[in-house]
Amino acid sequence: FNNVPRSLNGRPYTIYFSVDETGRVVDIRVQPAIKDAAFRQQFMETVREWTFDPGFTRDGKPIAAVCQVTVRL
């Protein structure tokens, strides 16, 4: 992440999100909340750009998944 405000440097943040059947990130939540509005917007936009290979059922159909990632800014 670029231009991390000093007040956030070194702090861990846990990102909770879902990955839909196409591999896109949806339903993002961050704990603790990022109070700096401009950085929060940049952070959320960056996470929305992440893509993943979706999970599959045993019969090969793509499925959504819930994920959790902790980052230290």
Side-chain angles (χ1 to χ4, degrees):
F1 297 98
N2 297 323
N3 304 319
V4 177
R6 271 182 195 233
S7 62
L8 305 180
N9 269 340
R11 295 190 63 197
Y13 289 86
T14 302
I15 310 164
Y16 301 92
F17 58 94
S18 297
V19 175
D20 69 13
E21 294 85 355
T22 67
R24 291 183 26 220
V25 172
V26 295
D27 301 325
I28 305 164
R29 187 170 52 92
V30 179
Q31 289 293 328
I34 297 173
K35 298 186 189 301
D36 183 294
F39 182 74
R40 181 177 57 243
Q41 181 176 351
Q42 173 195 342
F43 185 93
M44 298 297 267
E45 288 173 2
T46 299
V47 173
R48 276 190 201 94
E49 291 175 3
W50 293 354
T51 58
F52 295 85
D53 293 329
F56 291 91
T57 62
R58 288 185 180 156
D59 59 347
K61 294 180 182 174
I63 58 171
V66 177
C67 302
Q68 172 183 328
V69 175
T70 300
V71 298
R72 189 171 298 274
L73 300 176

